[in-house]
Amino acid sequence: MWFDQSWLDLTFLHWPVRPDDVAHLYPPGIRPDVFDGMTYVGLIPFRMGYTKVGAGPALPYFGAFAETNVRLYSVDDAGRHGVLFRSLETARLAVVPAIRFTMGVPYTWARMRIARSEDVIGYDSVRRWPRRGLCSRVAVRIGERVEPTPLEIWLTARWGAHTRKAGRTWWVPNEHDPWRLHAAHLVELDDELIGAADVRLAGEPLRVLYSPGTRTRFGRPIVVAAGSVSQ
């Protein structure tokens, strides 16, 4: 076990994307993962409850913060399915260089707020660095518990992440408990992060989902491929 986290108050927003439109964004050794011929981009705002490294205690500053990530879906030649992050907003400035340097994950610094009133939860983010001023505002009304479709399971039950660091492509394995998912109604969406990630949408959004959260555990990174980036 490398480290574990709790992810809380997640909202899942997804749109279809043509694989050929985003293939150039993937580093060597991985490619767009597809479901019935399409891949997807996710906009996922949530709250990090805690982070623990090994058997140590929760990290009080680094481990708890708001986050909004833009992610694509990836697979490597060994058949390992994961996500490829295009950006991860966080309000914790110190997290940004630490995670960028150690894991190659594109964390960014933002002013963020999560607010809940009864069954409505809202997520606000304004980028501080880099590309200052990029905004994302999402608000949803949380509905009844639902059983996920096969596509929704494929999108949310991801067992790793692919990243690029030190001239190599890596796969970081993880495992998590089953999601408790609720249907959610989109109250407000004003987002600039997907466009800034150079992702072109190919259709209408999927059903919005909300989860109160789960615990996830990460293993040590595994090298997938070395060589120059193909972008």
Side-chain angles (χ1 to χ4, degrees):
M1 187 67 61
W2 193 31
F3 66 91
D4 70 271
Q5 298 176 327
S6 70
W7 298 340
L8 305 173
D9 290 323
L10 299 92
T11 290
F12 296 93
L13 297 100
H14 284 98
W15 292 261
V17 174
R18 293 183 180 88
D20 288 348
D21 287 345
V22 291
H24 66 287
L25 300 176
Y26 288 68
I30 64 172
R31 60 189 182 276
D33 202 0
V34 298
F35 187 99
D36 288 342
M38 295 295 286
T39 192
Y40 291 83
V41 61
L43 178 69
I44 321 291
F46 68 100
R47 178 167 56 91
M48 193 82 73
Y50 68 75
T51 298
K52 296 181 180 180
V53 178
L59 303 175
Y61 176 82
F62 285 92
F65 49 84
E67 181 174 313
T68 295
N69 65 63
V70 175
R71 70 190 200 185
L72 298 170
Y73 293 87
S74 52
V75 63
D76 59 36
D77 290 339
R80 293 173 294 215
H81 302 269
V83 299
L84 176 68
F85 292 110
R86 293 295 294 157
S87 64
L88 302 94
E89 316 296 299
T90 177
R92 290 285 190 263
L93 173 59
V95 170
V96 176
I99 303 302
R100 278 178 172 254
F101 177 75
T102 60
M103 297 180 63
V105 176
Y107 264 101
T108 63
W109 182 35
R111 184 174 69 251
M112 306 186 77
R113 182 173 68 94
I114 299 176
R116 182 163 179 173
S117 176
E118 296 181 351
D119 61 345
V120 174
I121 186 167
Y123 313 82
D124 286 282
S125 177
V126 180
R127 178 82 65 84
R128 295 177 185 266
W129 181 91
R131 300 185 65 178
R132 182 180 180 89
L134 290 175
C135 299
S136 182
R137 164 67 179 167
V138 175
V140 299
R141 178 171 288 108
I142 303 165
E144 297 296 320
R145 180 85 178 265
V146 295
E147 290 299 321
T149 66
L151 173 57
E152 289 168 343
I153 293 172
W154 185 87
L155 290 166
T156 59
R158 287 276 141 173
W159 309 114
H162 289 103
T163 186
R164 184 76 178 175
K165 181 176 71 74
R168 294 179 172 183
T169 303
W170 301 78
W171 184 69
V172 184
N174 77 2
E175 59 183 41
H176 56 75
D177 300 330
W179 291 105
R180 293 173 291 156
L181 294 171
H182 295 249
H185 172 71
L186 192 61
V187 175
E188 183 178 355
L189 175 63
D190 184 8
D191 176 73
E192 297 176 327
L193 299 178
I194 291 178
D198 297 325
V199 177
R200 185 169 61 182
L201 307 181
E204 295 300 311
L206 305 184
R207 175 171 68 166
V208 181
L209 297 171
Y210 167 85
S211 176
T214 191
R215 176 191 176 197
T216 186
R217 296 159 292 278
F218 291 83
R220 293 190 178 277
I222 299 167
V223 174
V224 173
S228 61
V229 178
S230 60
Q231 296 183 47

